[in-house]
Amino acid sequence: AATAKGHAEGEDTSFRWQCVEQPIGKLLFQRFLEGAPGLAAAKALWAELEAYEQCEEGERSGAAAALRGRFFTPGGAEHCGFLSAAAMAPPAGGTASADDFGQARRELLAHLE
């Protein structure tokens, strides 16, 4: 079994821990992305995915359509071409849920790492 100290040391160096889970690290990393050529769209997608996860159920279908139009449309100014077709595909079934963009979020974080 890993000790608490050993576990913390392993976590401290991971991208997810430093840039996603730690609020100050996440803020600093997102500010870096805003100013980095080619990464601003990825930062904007990340912010929109988080906003989507927090929005009310009745607002989700409109928010999902706006998100897909902004980031998933080839040739668009903020198109995120690093996402797979599966990540950009509309969800199966008619109802919108907070996890509709789970695959896109995973691929986004893998791209940024």
Side-chain angles (χ1 to χ4, degrees), residues 2-85:
T3 64
K5 183 180 179 203
H7 180 70
E9 287 173 1
E11 292 289 330
D12 288 351
T13 60
S14 78
F15 166 79
R16 177 167 283 289
W17 189 85
Q18 289 179 340
C19 299
V20 179
E21 295 172 5
Q22 292 300 307
I24 202 73
K26 180 178 180 179
L27 176 68
L28 292 172
F29 184 62
Q30 288 181 340
R31 287 203 177 146
F32 160 75
L33 293 176
E34 287 173 358
L39 294 177
K43 189 276 178 193
L45 174 59
W46 189 359
E48 290 299 320
L49 290 174
E50 288 185 336
Y52 177 82
E53 291 167 3
Q54 301 301 318
C55 75
E56 296 294 323
E57 199 169 313
E59 302 169 346
R60 283 208 181 110
S61 71
L67 202 147
R68 283 191 177 86
R70 183 174 171 190
F71 299 104
F72 296 177
T73 304
E78 293 185 293
H79 178 243
C80 294
F82 56 85
L83 296 173
S84 69

